[in-house]
Amino acid sequence: MKYYEVKFTIQGPQELHQEACDVLSALAAEAGFESFEDTPEGVTGYVQQSLFDREALQQIVDGFPLPDQRIGFSVSEAEDRDWNEQWEQEGFEPIVVGDRCIVHDGRHVPASVPNVPISIEIDARLAFGTGTHETTRMMLQALLDLPLQGARVLDCGTGTGILAIGALKMGAKEAVAYDIDEWSADNARHNAVINRVDSRLTVLLGDASLLYKEVEGEFDVVVANINRNILLADMPAFRRRMKPGATLLLSGFYRSDIPMLAERAATLGLTPTAESHDGDWACLALRERASE
């Protein structure tokens, strides 16, 4: 799947720079952008080429709500090869989540990590799904807080497979994962092999329509770390595959998005049971609303 890399520049009062970056990222996410990186000049965003709408983006820039902020942007094709080379050469530093789980690239593992029983190795050639992002860390922490022993887990938009693999290492019996990106699906299968959970993880290529056609049965836990608009659109499909009493874990959105997601969940008979925050990012746990 091909992506555009859009480099945003922000000029204005320095004391408002971070706020402007956050607002711009939130608005761009509504226009289909999936990932962002802060830069000294502003923000770099990534969007699927098939979803890119230059006119909509220009409207965001022209109508930017913060005063005295001038936004510019340039668009180029994001090349997987360049990203691959960077991550293959540099990797990432280990991330410890909840003092019980460490995520590493197989090369930067500390000689000794006391009292961290769960080790997840991620061979990531792209910067998505390594545990370095706030949303991934929050989702792993939320999984650590669930009773996963013997559970069946569904991972929607799996990326590197980190959440499905993590759930299996935390005690889940079986996991099914899918991603719309062929490279990501292949990478998730590869990571399942190096973590020795490939016999219990099925990775499919496609979007949420798979939940109506190919995925069978119900799940104890459904996880989705995707952008807000996709979560809103796909939540009915997630709900379809939840067992009675199952938990739905969502991230990939901002704190300000929680009311909108909770409202959508309510129409499906789901209610929030927990939420967590890391900076402006949020994670939401939902379960079936108890009968009155």
Side-chain angles (χ1 to χ4, degrees), residues 33-52:
F33 281 69
E34 296 182 10
S35 181
F36 302 93
E37 298 172 354
D38 287 348
T39 67
E41 297 78 22
V43 175
T44 297
Y46 298 91
V47 60
Q48 293 178 31
Q49 291 185 10
S50 61
L51 299 179
F52 181 62

Side-chain angles (χ1 to χ4, degrees), residues 187-199:
N187 188 226
R189 295 187 190 102
H190 168 69
N191 286 322
V193 170
I194 63 177
N195 282 277
R196 300 181 180 179
V197 297
D198 50 302
S199 64

Side-chain angles (χ1 to χ4, degrees), residues 165-194:
I165 292 167
L168 290 168
K169 289 204 160 189
M170 294 171 196
K173 179 181 179 180
E174 175 192 1
V176 176
Y178 69 84
D179 201 288
I180 196 171
D181 184 349
E182 183 175 2
W183 186 93
S184 292
D186 288 342
N187 188 226
R189 295 187 190 102
H190 168 69
N191 286 322
V193 170
I194 63 177

Side-chain angles (χ1 to χ4, degrees), residues 43-277:
V43 175
T44 297
Y46 298 91
V47 60
Q48 293 178 31
Q49 291 185 10
S50 61
L51 299 179
F52 181 62
D53 186 334
R54 182 181 286 272
E55 182 177 348
L57 188 58
Q58 190 63 55
Q59 290 176 355
I60 290 172
V61 169
D62 293 341
F64 195 68
L66 294 182
D68 302 323
Q69 301 288 331
R70 296 184 300 279
I71 312 297
F73 67 90
S74 62
V75 183
S76 61
E77 185 169 324
E79 297 184 12
D80 288 352
R81 184 184 63 185
D82 293 341
W83 295 359
N84 292 350
E85 290 174 358
Q86 177 184 353
W87 281 86
E88 287 173 357
Q89 293 170 6
E90 298 179 7
F92 60 94
E93 290 300 316
I95 300 103
V96 177
V97 180
D99 296 326
R100 287 180 284 162
C101 174
I102 183 170
V103 183
H104 61 88
D105 63 5
R107 289 169 292 168
H108 297 82
V109 187
S112 175
V113 183
N115 303 318
V116 181
I118 300 167
S119 174
I120 304 172
E121 181 177 343
I122 296 297
D123 181 11
R125 299 177 177 87
L126 297 180
F128 310 117
T130 61
T132 58
H133 196 275
E134 295 91 333
T135 59
T136 311
R137 295 197 300 268
M138 286 189 291
M139 290 288 273
L140 286 171
Q141 180 63 63
L143 285 170
L144 285 168
D145 293 338
L146 290 177
L148 290 178
Q149 198 65 39
R152 191 168 190 244
V153 175
L154 173 65
D155 183 5
C156 309
T158 191
T160 62
I162 186 171
L163 297 180
I165 292 167
L168 290 168
K169 289 204 160 189
M170 294 171 196
K173 179 181 179 180
E174 175 192 1
V176 176
Y178 69 84
D179 201 288
I180 196 171
D181 184 349
E182 183 175 2
W183 186 93
S184 292
D186 288 342
N187 188 226
R189 295 187 190 102
H190 168 69
N191 286 322
V193 170
I194 63 177
N195 282 277
R196 300 181 180 179
V197 297
D198 50 302
S199 64
R200 296 186 286 141
L201 174 58
T202 301
V203 181
L204 303 173
L205 176 64
D207 58 18
S209 64
L210 292 168
L211 304 183
Y212 296 96
K213 298 182 297 184
E214 294 189 37
V215 175
E216 297 181 352
E218 296 178 322
F219 295 83
D220 302 283
V221 178
V222 178
V223 300
N225 187 10
I226 322 176
N227 75 64
R228 187 200 69 187
N229 290 345
I230 295 178
L231 293 175
L232 290 169
D234 292 352
M235 209 181 299
F238 304 160
R239 179 73 171 97
R240 176 184 177 88
R241 290 300 170 190
M242 293 173 63
K243 287 182 180 179
T247 296
L248 173 61
L249 295 179
L250 304 177
S251 196
F253 53 89
Y254 295 100
R255 287 191 187 194
S256 57
D257 296 323
I258 290 176
M260 187 182 301
L261 289 159
E263 182 179 356
R264 177 62 163 152
T267 67
L268 301 169
L270 299 173
T271 188
T273 58
E275 67 179 71
S276 58
H277 315 118

